[in-house]
Amino acid sequence: MSESTEPSEQPADAEFPRRRSRALVLILVIAVVVVLADQLTKLWATASLQVGVYHSVYHSLIGNLLGIQLIYNSGAAFSFLVDQTWVFTIIAALAVVALLYFSRRVGARSWAVAFGLLLGGAVTHLGDRLFRAPSFGQGHVVDFIAYANWFIGNVADIAIFCGAVLALILAVVGVPLRGGPRHTRGDDSARIDA
């Protein structure tokens, strides 16, 4: 029985370097798109929107549910750990390093999309923390997408959220990180390509 399963697993392992190369390209392309989209929208926001003396000006898009409101965030979502910017600089740097390290193990296109979204969001947040005012390593992130009265975010936040949700779904469903064929639960002969 072990002889019949080994030949079917060998091609999957032999194909991994090619799948990994394609996955790495996809991860990098998505990450670059996220960084560009995030930074260009932040450039637009800082050039077009104004921060008020006591509060920033709110521009409604969908009533009170969605709007545009410029703030410079020194903390995290929901104004968590405001003025502890160095903590988020370290977290963003660690996230970028971890995502780059684990990207070498990705062979599935679906996982590559998740990693690309997460990496792009982490890289652009790290860039903000390192290079935006007030100082190196303590930069404030530009947030301008207002979600009701809950919080204000940006494109990188959307990418990180979507990447995290996709990764969670892939983990729960059991899509292998390395990609290739996998067994379904009820039928050992059925194969699904990730």
Side-chain angles (χ1 to χ4, degrees), residues 27-40 116 120 155:
I27 289 168
L28 293 177
V29 166
I30 291 172
V32 167
V33 168
V34 168
V35 170
L36 288 175
D38 182 70
Q39 291 301 312
L40 288 174
V155 172

Side-chain angles (χ1 to χ4, degrees), residues 129-150:
R129 298 296 184 188
L130 290 176
F131 302 116
R132 286 196 184 272
S135 64
F136 181 79
Q138 297 194 25
H140 294 181
V141 173
V142 175
D143 287 333
F144 62 93
I145 305 171
Y147 301 94
N149 289 323
W150 299 330

Side-chain angles (χ1 to χ4, degrees), residues 5 35 50 74 79 83 87 89-90 95 100 104 111 137 160 175:
T5 57
V35 170
Q50 295 179 350
S74 63
S79 298
D83 297 327
V87 172
T89 304
I90 293 169
L100 288 172
R104 300 176 308 136
W111 276 105
I160 290 170
V175 175

